[in-house]
Amino acid sequence: MIPIKIQTLLEGRKVERNRIEYKAGFNPSDIVHTICAYANDIAGVDGGYIVIGVKAENGIPVLPPVGLPNELLDDIQLKIFQYCNKIEPRYIPKIDVVEYKGVHLVYLKCAAGDAGPYQAPVDVYSKNELGKDPNRTMKYWIRPASLTTEAKQNELAELFEKFASIPFVDRINNRASVEHIRRGYLEDFIRESNSSLIEELNVRSLEDLLVSEEVAEEKDEGFAIKNIGLLMFGERPDKLIAGTKVELVRFHDKEAEASDFTEKTFYGPIWKQVKDALDYIKTNVIEEKVVKVDGRAEADRFFNYPYNALEEAIVNAVLHKNYKDDVPVEIRIYLDHIQIINFPGPEHYIDMEKFAAGKVRARRYRNPKIGEFFKEIDLSEKKSTGISKILRELKRNGSPLPEFETDTDRTYMITTIKIHEGFIYENFAQKNERSLSEVLSEVLTKKDYDKVSIIVSFIEEHGEITPKKAENITKKSAATVRRYFKMLVDTGYIRAVGSTNNIVYCMSMNL
């Protein structure tokens, strides 16, 4: 049984369109070429799906589907199996017959293969003649985008190089056994992903479910669990894959080296680590602030950190980590910013300026299988949209732009999410030994300080002040108040927050 329901696939959720091929009818050669291309997985997206019995226009399924005649269903399945035997090395996809909106479809899941590169005949009906080259009609088929095509010379080199090194998460872990897997985690994931396997939970063995999720294999020498199986469903994957955990440290003082901090470590399946870390941050770190604006009925609402931006940054760190390295994902929470650290950094071909602007699309992905699992439970979106989402959520909240740091060798990546400026006073003013008025009385001349002292006192008491409020308490004109604020901002100890029409002034972090 294919875990992702046909309804989910046809309605365009959780699986990108370029990983789905729709066929109105049964064309064996065309279908075998696509199966072969998905098995080769040159784009590193973990294969794809084929649905036979559905027309498509520009890659979008035309619904309701035309369906397939019932009397042909068994014959189509048998022929797919027969013709897939002509793929070299042998490759057989998962084949299922499903009913959708009153018609029957043949549904194929073609996972990325691990024994390639794979080749298939140009014409599956052709037969090799005695004494002739048996590979004369064979081609290596690939899908660099949404179309199946024959691999060119440079693509062949890339294909052979790809299969020379199977990704770490796809490898068998010889130390792992079923005892390392927690069935409860697997069942929770299946239910949360609304998988078709929900209906099989009470009748399938743990081994059957793991094979269906393609995280384990039945081999002659015994049952074999892949690293991806441990990462997604292991009780403590860090015991067999060192560094598989998320470490969080929260500093309660502005000096990061101080002893006042909280530490937490999140274990278990990697998707649960993400959820647990986010739950902690949502409960203990994220705060909302409401600022009333003079002359406006609606107040401004914003968060110190937008949850969705942090979610995406943490998901990206866990998703793009190199699990061969014995280093955890780190989350460091300071008074005015949060850093998410993972190893390694982006690939060398990625331009960091374009990356920071959310304008880079990766050619290959480090852990495509993890990405597909994360999408099934809505932890991840489409490929290469993570940075764009972070930027969008920060802008929506009125937060500063993020910072992305790496080194020349791209051995690490530090994503820094800065606190909303409206929270700076709360996090810093109360931490300083000297008050704002004490500092400004020394920085400014006595004459200038006397002019602004009432504004300074108001900021100390309330955390911030609007220009309109400053006019009311000083009994000065708008032009005079603007001069006062320029004087204060020039000291570096007061800063302006917000847009021109909704500006407020508060204490700077420089105090």
Side-chain angles (χ1 to χ4, degrees), residues 246 266-267 269-280 307 311 314-315 318-319 374 379:
V246 173
F266 302 96
Y267 299 102
I270 53 177
W271 56 271
K272 190 173 186 303
Q273 293 176 26
V274 170
K275 288 177 174 289
D276 289 348
L278 287 168
D279 284 346
Y280 175 87
Y307 176 86
E311 178 187 40
I314 293 171
V315 166
V318 172
L319 176 57
F374 276 22
L379 267 184

mmCIF file with all atom_site columns, all heavy atoms in Angstrom, residues 246 266-267 269-280 307 311 314-315 318-319 374 379:
data_model
loop_
_atom_site.group_PDB
_atom_site.id
_atom_site.type_symbol
_atom_site.label_atom_id
_atom_site.label_alt_id
_atom_site.label_comp_id
_atom_site.label_asym_id
_atom_site.label_entity_id
_atom_site.label_seq_id
_atom_site.pdbx_PDB_ins_code
_atom_site.Cartn_x
_atom_site.Cartn_y
_atom_site.Cartn_z
_atom_site.occupancy
_atom_site.B_iso_or_equiv
_atom_site.pdbx_formal_charge
_atom_site.auth_seq_id
_atom_site.auth_comp_id
_atom_site.auth_asym_id
_atom_site.auth_atom_id
_atom_site.pdbx_PDB_model_num
ATOM 1   N N   . VAL A 1 246 ? 18.569 17.899 19.377 1.00 0.00 ? 246 VAL A N   1
ATOM 2   C CA  . VAL A 1 246 ? 18.532 19.361 19.321 1.00 0.00 ? 246 VAL A CA  1
ATOM 3   C C   . VAL A 1 246 ? 18.865 19.874 20.715 1.00 0.00 ? 246 VAL A C   1
ATOM 4   O O   . VAL A 1 246 ? 18.187 19.530 21.683 1.00 0.00 ? 246 VAL A O   1
ATOM 5   C CB  . VAL A 1 246 ? 17.156 19.882 18.871 1.00 0.00 ? 246 VAL A CB  1
ATOM 6   C CG1 . VAL A 1 246 ? 17.099 21.398 18.980 1.00 0.00 ? 246 VAL A CG1 1
ATOM 7   C CG2 . VAL A 1 246 ? 16.850 19.441 17.444 1.00 0.00 ? 246 VAL A CG2 1
ATOM 8   N N   . PHE A 1 266 ? 16.561 17.882 23.308 1.00 0.00 ? 266 PHE A N   1
ATOM 9   C CA  . PHE A 1 266 ? 15.389 17.194 22.770 1.00 0.00 ? 266 PHE A CA  1
ATOM 10  C C   . PHE A 1 266 ? 15.844 15.951 22.012 1.00 0.00 ? 266 PHE A C   1
ATOM 11  O O   . PHE A 1 266 ? 16.674 16.024 21.100 1.00 0.00 ? 266 PHE A O   1
ATOM 12  C CB  . PHE A 1 266 ? 14.604 18.137 21.853 1.00 0.00 ? 266 PHE A CB  1
ATOM 13  C CG  . PHE A 1 266 ? 14.159 19.391 22.555 1.00 0.00 ? 266 PHE A CG  1
ATOM 14  C CD1 . PHE A 1 266 ? 14.903 20.560 22.458 1.00 0.00 ? 266 PHE A CD1 1
ATOM 15  C CD2 . PHE A 1 266 ? 13.014 19.395 23.338 1.00 0.00 ? 266 PHE A CD2 1
ATOM 16  C CE1 . PHE A 1 266 ? 14.503 21.712 23.109 1.00 0.00 ? 266 PHE A CE1 1
ATOM 17  C CE2 . PHE A 1 266 ? 12.615 20.541 24.013 1.00 0.00 ? 266 PHE A CE2 1
ATOM 18  C CZ  . PHE A 1 266 ? 13.356 21.697 23.890 1.00 0.00 ? 266 PHE A CZ  1
ATOM 19  N N   . TYR A 1 267 ? 15.281 14.786 22.415 1.00 0.00 ? 267 TYR A N   1
ATOM 20  C CA  . TYR A 1 267 ? 15.631 13.498 21.812 1.00 0.00 ? 267 TYR A CA  1
ATOM 21  C C   . TYR A 1 267 ? 14.429 12.934 21.062 1.00 0.00 ? 267 TYR A C   1
ATOM 22  O O   . TYR A 1 267 ? 13.391 13.557 20.965 1.00 0.00 ? 267 TYR A O   1
ATOM 23  C CB  . TYR A 1 267 ? 16.065 12.516 22.902 1.00 0.00 ? 267 TYR A CB  1
ATOM 24  C CG  . TYR A 1 267 ? 17.279 12.950 23.705 1.00 0.00 ? 267 TYR A CG  1
ATOM 25  C CD1 . TYR A 1 267 ? 17.135 13.478 24.987 1.00 0.00 ? 267 TYR A CD1 1
ATOM 26  C CD2 . TYR A 1 267 ? 18.564 12.816 23.188 1.00 0.00 ? 267 TYR A CD2 1
ATOM 27  C CE1 . TYR A 1 267 ? 18.238 13.859 25.737 1.00 0.00 ? 267 TYR A CE1 1
ATOM 28  C CE2 . TYR A 1 267 ? 19.674 13.193 23.928 1.00 0.00 ? 267 TYR A CE2 1
ATOM 29  C CZ  . TYR A 1 267 ? 19.510 13.714 25.205 1.00 0.00 ? 267 TYR A CZ  1
ATOM 30  O OH  . TYR A 1 267 ? 20.598 14.093 25.937 1.00 0.00 ? 267 TYR A OH  1
ATOM 31  N N   . PRO A 1 269 ? 12.536 10.870 17.637 1.00 0.00 ? 269 PRO A N   1
ATOM 32  C CA  . PRO A 1 269 ? 12.513 11.086 16.187 1.00 0.00 ? 269 PRO A CA  1
ATOM 33  C C   . PRO A 1 269 ? 12.742 12.553 15.848 1.00 0.00 ? 269 PRO A C   1
ATOM 34  O O   . PRO A 1 269 ? 12.333 13.435 16.605 1.00 0.00 ? 269 PRO A O   1
ATOM 35  C CB  . PRO A 1 269 ? 11.092 10.644 15.795 1.00 0.00 ? 269 PRO A CB  1
ATOM 36  C CG  . PRO A 1 269 ? 10.643 9.758  16.896 1.00 0.00 ? 269 PRO A CG  1
ATOM 37  C CD  . PRO A 1 269 ? 11.289 10.267 18.138 1.00 0.00 ? 269 PRO A CD  1
ATOM 38  N N   . ILE A 1 270 ? 13.376 12.814 14.728 1.00 0.00 ? 270 ILE A N   1
ATOM 39  C CA  . ILE A 1 270 ? 13.753 14.192 14.418 1.00 0.00 ? 270 ILE A CA  1
ATOM 40  C C   . ILE A 1 270 ? 12.538 15.101 14.257 1.00 0.00 ? 270 ILE A C   1
ATOM 41  O O   . ILE A 1 270 ? 12.598 16.286 14.599 1.00 0.00 ? 270 ILE A O   1
ATOM 42  C CB  . ILE A 1 270 ? 14.672 14.266 13.183 1.00 0.00 ? 270 ILE A CB  1
ATOM 43  C CG1 . ILE A 1 270 ? 14.052 13.542 11.989 1.00 0.00 ? 270 ILE A CG1 1
ATOM 44  C CG2 . ILE A 1 270 ? 16.040 13.673 13.508 1.00 0.00 ? 270 ILE A CG2 1
ATOM 45  C CD1 . ILE A 1 270 ? 14.887 13.642 10.725 1.00 0.00 ? 270 ILE A CD1 1
ATOM 46  N N   . TRP A 1 271 ? 11.428 14.584 13.740 1.00 0.00 ? 271 TRP A N   1
ATOM 47  C CA  . TRP A 1 271 ? 10.234 15.437 13.612 1.00 0.00 ? 271 TRP A CA  1
ATOM 48  C C   . TRP A 1 271 ? 9.672  15.781 14.984 1.00 0.00 ? 271 TRP A C   1
ATOM 49  O O   . TRP A 1 271 ? 9.155  16.881 15.189 1.00 0.00 ? 271 TRP A O   1
ATOM 50  C CB  . TRP A 1 271 ? 9.160  14.775 12.742 1.00 0.00 ? 271 TRP A CB  1
ATOM 51  C CG  . TRP A 1 271 ? 8.711  13.419 13.198 1.00 0.00 ? 271 TRP A CG  1
ATOM 52  C CD1 . TRP A 1 271 ? 9.254  12.217 12.862 1.00 0.00 ? 271 TRP A CD1 1
ATOM 53  C CD2 . TRP A 1 271 ? 7.621  13.126 14.083 1.00 0.00 ? 271 TRP A CD2 1
ATOM 54  N NE1 . TRP A 1 271 ? 8.576  11.192 13.469 1.00 0.00 ? 271 TRP A NE1 1
ATOM 55  C CE2 . TRP A 1 271 ? 7.573  11.714 14.222 1.00 0.00 ? 271 TRP A CE2 1
ATOM 56  C CE3 . TRP A 1 271 ? 6.685  13.903 14.760 1.00 0.00 ? 271 TRP A CE3 1
ATOM 57  C CZ2 . TRP A 1 271 ? 6.620  11.071 15.023 1.00 0.00 ? 271 TRP A CZ2 1
ATOM 58  C CZ3 . TRP A 1 271 ? 5.735  13.267 15.552 1.00 0.00 ? 271 TRP A CZ3 1
ATOM 59  C CH2 . TRP A 1 271 ? 5.709  11.873 15.677 1.00 0.00 ? 271 TRP A CH2 1
ATOM 60  N N   . LYS A 1 272 ? 9.797  14.877 15.934 1.00 0.00 ? 272 LYS A N   1
ATOM 61  C CA  . LYS A 1 272 ? 9.338  15.156 17.292 1.00 0.00 ? 272 LYS A CA  1
ATOM 62  C C   . LYS A 1 272 ? 10.292 16.131 17.993 1.00 0.00 ? 272 LYS A C   1
ATOM 63  O O   . LYS A 1 272 ? 9.849  16.972 18.788 1.00 0.00 ? 272 LYS A O   1
ATOM 64  C CB  . LYS A 1 272 ? 9.217  13.864 18.092 1.00 0.00 ? 272 LYS A CB  1
ATOM 65  C CG  . LYS A 1 272 ? 8.522  14.045 19.436 1.00 0.00 ? 272 LYS A CG  1
ATOM 66  C CD  . LYS A 1 272 ? 8.271  12.730 20.119 1.00 0.00 ? 272 LYS A CD  1
ATOM 67  C CE  . LYS A 1 272 ? 7.447  12.925 21.391 1.00 0.00 ? 272 LYS A CE  1
ATOM 68  N NZ  . LYS A 1 272 ? 8.045  13.841 22.352 1.00 0.00 ? 272 LYS A NZ  1
ATOM 69  N N   . GLN A 1 273 ? 11.589 16.030 17.707 1.00 0.00 ? 273 GLN A N   1
ATOM 70  C CA  . GLN A 1 273 ? 12.535 16.995 18.261 1.00 0.00 ? 273 GLN A CA  1
ATOM 71  C C   . GLN A 1 273 ? 12.144 18.412 17.851 1.00 0.00 ? 273 GLN A C   1
ATOM 72  O O   . GLN A 1 273 ? 12.158 19.343 18.663 1.00 0.00 ? 273 GLN A O   1
ATOM 73  C CB  . GLN A 1 273 ? 13.955 16.689 17.773 1.00 0.00 ? 273 GLN A CB  1
ATOM 74  C CG  . GLN A 1 273 ? 14.546 15.392 18.293 1.00 0.00 ? 273 GLN A CG  1
ATOM 75  C CD  . GLN A 1 273 ? 15.908 15.117 17.696 1.00 0.00 ? 273 GLN A CD  1
ATOM 76  O OE1 . GLN A 1 273 ? 16.623 16.034 17.299 1.00 0.00 ? 273 GLN A OE1 1
ATOM 77  N NE2 . GLN A 1 273 ? 16.277 13.854 17.614 1.00 0.00 ? 273 GLN A NE2 1
ATOM 78  N N   . VAL A 1 274 ? 11.801 18.576 16.569 1.00 0.00 ? 274 VAL A N   1
ATOM 79  C CA  . VAL A 1 274 ? 11.399 19.892 16.070 1.00 0.00 ? 274 VAL A CA  1
ATOM 80  C C   . VAL A 1 274 ? 10.155 20.379 16.800 1.00 0.00 ? 274 VAL A C   1
ATOM 81  O O   . VAL A 1 274 ? 10.092 21.520 17.281 1.00 0.00 ? 274 VAL A O   1
ATOM 82  C CB  . VAL A 1 274 ? 11.137 19.833 14.545 1.00 0.00 ? 274 VAL A CB  1
ATOM 83  C CG1 . VAL A 1 274 ? 10.492 21.135 14.062 1.00 0.00 ? 274 VAL A CG1 1
ATOM 84  C CG2 . VAL A 1 274 ? 12.439 19.586 13.794 1.00 0.00 ? 274 VAL A CG2 1
ATOM 85  N N   . LYS A 1 275 ? 9.146  19.516 16.903 1.00 0.00 ? 275 LYS A N   1
ATOM 86  C CA  . LYS A 1 275 ? 7.893  19.908 17.546 1.00 0.00 ? 275 LYS A CA  1
ATOM 87  C C   . LYS A 1 275 ? 8.103  20.238 19.024 1.00 0.00 ? 275 LYS A C   1
ATOM 88  O O   . LYS A 1 275 ? 7.544  21.214 19.548 1.00 0.00 ? 275 LYS A O   1
ATOM 89  C CB  . LYS A 1 275 ? 6.854  18.795 17.382 1.00 0.00 ? 275 LYS A CB  1
ATOM 90  C CG  . LYS A 1 275 ? 6.298  18.663 15.964 1.00 0.00 ? 275 LYS A CG  1
ATOM 91  C CD  . LYS A 1 275 ? 5.337  17.496 15.861 1.00 0.00 ? 275 LYS A CD  1
ATOM 92  C CE  . LYS A 1 275 ? 4.674  17.446 14.502 1.00 0.00 ? 275 LYS A CE  1
ATOM 93  N NZ  . LYS A 1 275 ? 3.699  18.528 14.286 1.00 0.00 ? 275 LYS A NZ  1
ATOM 94  N N   . ASP A 1 276 ? 8.905  19.432 19.716 1.00 0.00 ? 276 ASP A N   1
ATOM 95  C CA  . ASP A 1 276 ? 9.137  19.675 21.142 1.00 0.00 ? 276 ASP A CA  1
ATOM 96  C C   . ASP A 1 276 ? 9.904  20.972 21.372 1.00 0.00 ? 276 ASP A C   1
ATOM 97  O O   . ASP A 1 276 ? 9.604  21.735 22.302 1.00 0.00 ? 276 ASP A O   1
ATOM 98  C CB  . ASP A 1 276 ? 9.899  18.496 21.756 1.00 0.00 ? 276 ASP A CB  1
ATOM 99  C CG  . ASP A 1 276 ? 9.044  17.243 21.865 1.00 0.00 ? 276 ASP A CG  1
ATOM 100 O OD1 . ASP A 1 276 ? 7.817  17.347 21.678 1.00 0.00 ? 276 ASP A OD1 1
ATOM 101 O OD2 . ASP A 1 276 ? 9.601  16.161 22.119 1.00 0.00 ? 276 ASP A OD2 1
ATOM 102 N N   . ALA A 1 277 ? 10.912 21.231 20.532 1.00 0.00 ? 277 ALA A N   1
ATOM 103 C CA  . ALA A 1 277 ? 11.678 22.476 20.659 1.00 0.00 ? 277 ALA A CA  1
ATOM 104 C C   . ALA A 1 277 ? 10.778 23.682 20.394 1.00 0.00 ? 277 ALA A C   1
ATOM 105 O O   . ALA A 1 277 ? 10.841 24.697 21.115 1.00 0.00 ? 277 ALA A O   1
ATOM 106 C CB  . ALA A 1 277 ? 12.862 22.465 19.700 1.00 0.00 ? 277 ALA A CB  1
ATOM 107 N N   . LEU A 1 278 ? 9.923  23.575 19.386 1.00 0.00 ? 278 LEU A N   1
ATOM 108 C CA  . LEU A 1 278 ? 9.017  24.683 19.069 1.00 0.00 ? 278 LEU A CA  1
ATOM 109 C C   . LEU A 1 278 ? 7.978  24.882 20.170 1.00 0.00 ? 278 LEU A C   1
ATOM 110 O O   . LEU A 1 278 ? 7.615  26.022 20.489 1.00 0.00 ? 278 LEU A O   1
ATOM 111 C CB  . LEU A 1 278 ? 8.331  24.426 17.726 1.00 0.00 ? 278 LEU A CB  1
ATOM 112 C CG  . LEU A 1 278 ? 9.223  24.606 16.496 1.00 0.00 ? 278 LEU A CG  1
ATOM 113 C CD1 . LEU A 1 278 ? 8.540  24.054 15.248 1.00 0.00 ? 278 LEU A CD1 1
ATOM 114 C CD2 . LEU A 1 278 ? 9.572  26.069 16.294 1.00 0.00 ? 278 LEU A CD2 1
ATOM 115 N N   . ASP A 1 279 ? 7.504  23.793 20.755 1.00 0.00 ? 279 ASP A N   1
ATOM 116 C CA  . ASP A 1 279 ? 6.549  23.919 21.860 1.00 0.00 ? 279 ASP A CA  1
ATOM 117 C C   . ASP A 1 279 ? 7.186  24.661 23.039 1.00 0.00 ? 279 ASP A C   1
ATOM 118 O O   . ASP A 1 279 ? 6.546  25.500 23.688 1.00 0.00 ? 279 ASP A O   1
ATOM 119 C CB  . ASP A 1 279 ? 6.075  22.528 22.313 1.00 0.00 ? 279 ASP A CB  1
ATOM 120 C CG  . ASP A 1 279 ? 5.061  21.926 21.360 1.00 0.00 ? 279 ASP A CG  1
ATOM 121 O OD1 . ASP A 1 279 ? 4.538  22.667 20.512 1.00 0.00 ? 279 ASP A OD1 1
ATOM 122 O OD2 . ASP A 1 279 ? 4.820  20.706 21.445 1.00 0.00 ? 279 ASP A OD2 1
ATOM 123 N N   . TYR A 1 280 ? 8.457  24.331 23.329 1.00 0.00 ? 280 TYR A N   1
ATOM 124 C CA  . TYR A 1 280 ? 9.158  25.009 24.420 1.00 0.00 ? 280 TYR A CA  1
ATOM 125 C C   . TYR A 1 280 ? 9.276  26.509 24.121 1.00 0.00 ? 280 TYR A C   1
ATOM 126 O O   . TYR A 1 280 ? 9.005  27.359 24.985 1.00 0.00 ? 280 TYR A O   1
ATOM 127 C CB  . TYR A 1 280 ? 10.546 24.412 24.620 1.00 0.00 ? 280 TYR A CB  1
ATOM 128 C CG  . TYR A 1 280 ? 11.368 25.157 25.651 1.00 0.00 ? 280 TYR A CG  1
ATOM 129 C CD1 . TYR A 1 280 ? 11.282 24.837 26.998 1.00 0.00 ? 280 TYR A CD1 1
ATOM 130 C CD2 . TYR A 1 280 ? 12.223 26.203 25.274 1.00 0.00 ? 280 TYR A CD2 1
ATOM 131 C CE1 . TYR A 1 280 ? 12.011 25.537 27.957 1.00 0.00 ? 280 TYR A CE1 1
ATOM 132 C CE2 . TYR A 1 280 ? 12.956 26.912 26.217 1.00 0.00 ? 280 TYR A CE2 1
ATOM 133 C CZ  . TYR A 1 280 ? 12.844 26.566 27.556 1.00 0.00 ? 280 TYR A CZ  1
ATOM 134 O OH  . TYR A 1 280 ? 13.563 27.272 28.489 1.00 0.00 ? 280 TYR A OH  1
ATOM 135 N N   . TYR A 1 307 ? 6.453  33.122 15.346 1.00 0.00 ? 307 TYR A N   1
ATOM 136 C CA  . TYR A 1 307 ? 6.570  31.671 15.478 1.00 0.00 ? 307 TYR A CA  1
ATOM 137 C C   . TYR A 1 307 ? 6.887  30.997 14.142 1.00 0.00 ? 307 TYR A C   1
ATOM 138 O O   . TYR A 1 307 ? 7.753  30.123 14.059 1.00 0.00 ? 307 TYR A O   1
ATOM 139 C CB  . TYR A 1 307 ? 5.275  31.103 16.064 1.00 0.00 ? 307 TYR A CB  1
ATOM 140 C CG  . TYR A 1 307 ? 5.254  29.594 16.142 1.00 0.00 ? 307 TYR A CG  1
ATOM 141 C CD1 . TYR A 1 307 ? 5.793  28.937 17.244 1.00 0.00 ? 307 TYR A CD1 1
ATOM 142 C CD2 . TYR A 1 307 ? 4.693  28.835 15.124 1.00 0.00 ? 307 TYR A CD2 1
ATOM 143 C CE1 . TYR A 1 307 ? 5.773  27.548 17.324 1.00 0.00 ? 307 TYR A CE1 1
ATOM 144 C CE2 . TYR A 1 307 ? 4.673  27.450 15.195 1.00 0.00 ? 307 TYR A CE2 1
ATOM 145 C CZ  . TYR A 1 307 ? 5.217  26.811 16.296 1.00 0.00 ? 307 TYR A CZ  1
ATOM 146 O OH  . TYR A 1 307 ? 5.198  25.438 16.354 1.00 0.00 ? 307 TYR A OH  1
ATOM 147 N N   . GLU A 1 311 ? 9.904  28.484 13.286 1.00 0.00 ? 311 GLU A N   1
ATOM 148 C CA  . GLU A 1 311 ? 9.586  27.108 12.875 1.00 0.00 ? 311 GLU A CA  1
ATOM 149 C C   . GLU A 1 311 ? 10.351 26.745 11.603 1.00 0.00 ? 311 GLU A C   1
ATOM 150 O O   . GLU A 1 311 ? 10.974 25.689 11.509 1.00 0.00 ? 311 GLU A O   1
ATOM 151 C CB  . GLU A 1 311 ? 8.088  26.964 12.643 1.00 0.00 ? 311 GLU A CB  1
ATOM 152 C CG  . GLU A 1 311 ? 7.687  25.567 12.167 1.00 0.00 ? 311 GLU A CG  1
ATOM 153 C CD  . GLU A 1 311 ? 6.225  25.481 11.789 1.00 0.00 ? 311 GLU A CD  1
ATOM 154 O OE1 . GLU A 1 311 ? 5.713  26.436 11.168 1.00 0.00 ? 311 GLU A OE1 1
ATOM 155 O OE2 . GLU A 1 311 ? 5.590  24.456 12.094 1.00 0.00 ? 311 GLU A OE2 1
ATOM 156 N N   . ILE A 1 314 ? 14.190 26.371 12.238 1.00 0.00 ? 314 ILE A N   1
ATOM 157 C CA  . ILE A 1 314 ? 14.550 25.144 12.961 1.00 0.00 ? 314 ILE A CA  1
ATOM 158 C C   . ILE A 1 314 ? 14.331 23.919 12.082 1.00 0.00 ? 314 ILE A C   1
ATOM 159 O O   . ILE A 1 314 ? 15.158 23.000 12.063 1.00 0.00 ? 314 ILE A O   1
ATOM 160 C CB  . ILE A 1 314 ? 13.745 25.053 14.272 1.00 0.00 ? 314 ILE A CB  1
ATOM 161 C CG1 . ILE A 1 314 ? 14.185 26.170 15.218 1.00 0.00 ? 314 ILE A CG1 1
ATOM 162 C CG2 . ILE A 1 314 ? 13.934 23.690 14.939 1.00 0.00 ? 314 ILE A CG2 1
ATOM 163 C CD1 . ILE A 1 314 ? 13.313 26.327 16.457 1.00 0.00 ? 314 ILE A CD1 1
ATOM 164 N N   . VAL A 1 315 ? 13.234 23.898 11.340 1.00 0.00 ? 315 VAL A N   1
ATOM 165 C CA  . VAL A 1 315 ? 12.998 22.790 10.406 1.00 0.00 ? 315 VAL A CA  1
ATOM 166 C C   . VAL A 1 315 ? 14.132 22.703 9.391  1.00 0.00 ? 315 VAL A C   1
ATOM 167 O O   . VAL A 1 315 ? 14.649 21.620 9.095  1.00 0.00 ? 315 VAL A O   1
ATOM 168 C CB  . VAL A 1 315 ? 11.642 22.969 9.684  1.00 0.00 ? 315 VAL A CB  1
ATOM 169 C CG1 . VAL A 1 315 ? 11.542 22.035 8.487  1.00 0.00 ? 315 VAL A CG1 1
ATOM 170 C CG2 . VAL A 1 315 ? 10.493 22.682 10.644 1.00 0.00 ? 315 VAL A CG2 1
ATOM 171 N N   . VAL A 1 318 ? 17.294 21.122 10.963 1.00 0.00 ? 318 VAL A N   1
ATOM 172 C CA  . VAL A 1 318 ? 17.183 19.669 11.144 1.00 0.00 ? 318 VAL A CA  1
ATOM 173 C C   . VAL A 1 318 ? 17.164 18.955 9.792  1.00 0.00 ? 318 VAL A C   1
ATOM 174 O O   . VAL A 1 318 ? 17.773 17.901 9.624  1.00 0.00 ? 318 VAL A O   1
ATOM 175 C CB  . VAL A 1 318 ? 15.917 19.339 11.960 1.00 0.00 ? 318 VAL A CB  1
ATOM 176 C CG1 . VAL A 1 318 ? 15.662 17.837 12.007 1.00 0.00 ? 318 VAL A CG1 1
ATOM 177 C CG2 . VAL A 1 318 ? 16.053 19.889 13.384 1.00 0.00 ? 318 VAL A CG2 1
ATOM 178 N N   . LEU A 1 319 ? 16.487 19.557 8.830  1.00 0.00 ? 319 LEU A N   1
ATOM 179 C CA  . LEU A 1 319 ? 16.359 18.954 7.511  1.00 0.00 ? 319 LEU A CA  1
ATOM 180 C C   . LEU A 1 319 ? 17.687 18.901 6.768  1.00 0.00 ? 319 LEU A C   1
ATOM 181 O O   . LEU A 1 319 ? 17.996 17.914 6.088  1.00 0.00 ? 319 LEU A O   1
ATOM 182 C CB  . LEU A 1 319 ? 15.328 19.742 6.699  1.00 0.00 ? 319 LEU A CB  1
ATOM 183 C CG  . LEU A 1 319 ? 15.105 19.349 5.242  1.00 0.00 ? 319 LEU A CG  1
ATOM 184 C CD1 . LEU A 1 319 ? 14.712 17.891 5.125  1.00 0.00 ? 319 LEU A CD1 1
ATOM 185 C CD2 . LEU A 1 319 ? 14.033 20.244 4.627  1.00 0.00 ? 319 LEU A CD2 1
ATOM 186 N N   . PHE A 1 374 ? 8.767  15.219 6.165  1.00 0.00 ? 374 PHE A N   1
ATOM 187 C CA  . PHE A 1 374 ? 8.359  16.448 6.846  1.00 0.00 ? 374 PHE A CA  1
ATOM 188 C C   . PHE A 1 374 ? 7.161  17.102 6.152  1.00 0.00 ? 374 PHE A C   1
ATOM 189 O O   . PHE A 1 374 ? 6.285  17.666 6.807  1.00 0.00 ? 374 PHE A O   1
ATOM 190 C CB  . PHE A 1 374 ? 9.527  17.430 6.907  1.00 0.00 ? 374 PHE A CB  1
ATOM 191 C CG  . PHE A 1 374 ? 10.466 17.190 8.063  1.00 0.00 ? 374 PHE A CG  1
ATOM 192 C CD1 . PHE A 1 374 ? 10.536 15.957 8.690  1.00 0.00 ? 374 PHE A CD1 1
ATOM 193 C CD2 . PHE A 1 374 ? 11.290 18.196 8.533  1.00 0.00 ? 374 PHE A CD2 1
ATOM 194 C CE1 . PHE A 1 374 ? 11.393 15.728 9.751  1.00 0.00 ? 374 PHE A CE1 1
ATOM 195 C CE2 . PHE A 1 374 ? 12.148 17.990 9.613  1.00 0.00 ? 374 PHE A CE2 1
ATOM 196 C CZ  . PHE A 1 374 ? 12.202 16.756 10.213 1.00 0.00 ? 374 PHE A CZ  1
ATOM 197 N N   . LEU A 1 379 ? 5.407  19.948 8.188  1.00 0.00 ? 379 LEU A N   1
ATOM 198 C CA  . LEU A 1 379 ? 6.537  20.620 8.822  1.00 0.00 ? 379 LEU A CA  1
ATOM 199 C C   . LEU A 1 379 ? 7.376  21.364 7.800  1.00 0.00 ? 379 LEU A C   1
ATOM 200 O O   . LEU A 1 379 ? 8.173  22.219 8.162  1.00 0.00 ? 379 LEU A O   1
ATOM 201 C CB  . LEU A 1 379 ? 7.425  19.603 9.556  1.00 0.00 ? 379 LEU A CB  1
ATOM 202 C CG  . LEU A 1 379 ? 7.135  19.354 11.033 1.00 0.00 ? 379 LEU A CG  1
ATOM 203 C CD1 . LEU A 1 379 ? 8.160  18.405 11.617 1.00 0.00 ? 379 LEU A CD1 1
ATOM 204 C CD2 . LEU A 1 379 ? 7.101  20.648 11.821 1.00 0.00 ? 379 LEU A CD2 1
#
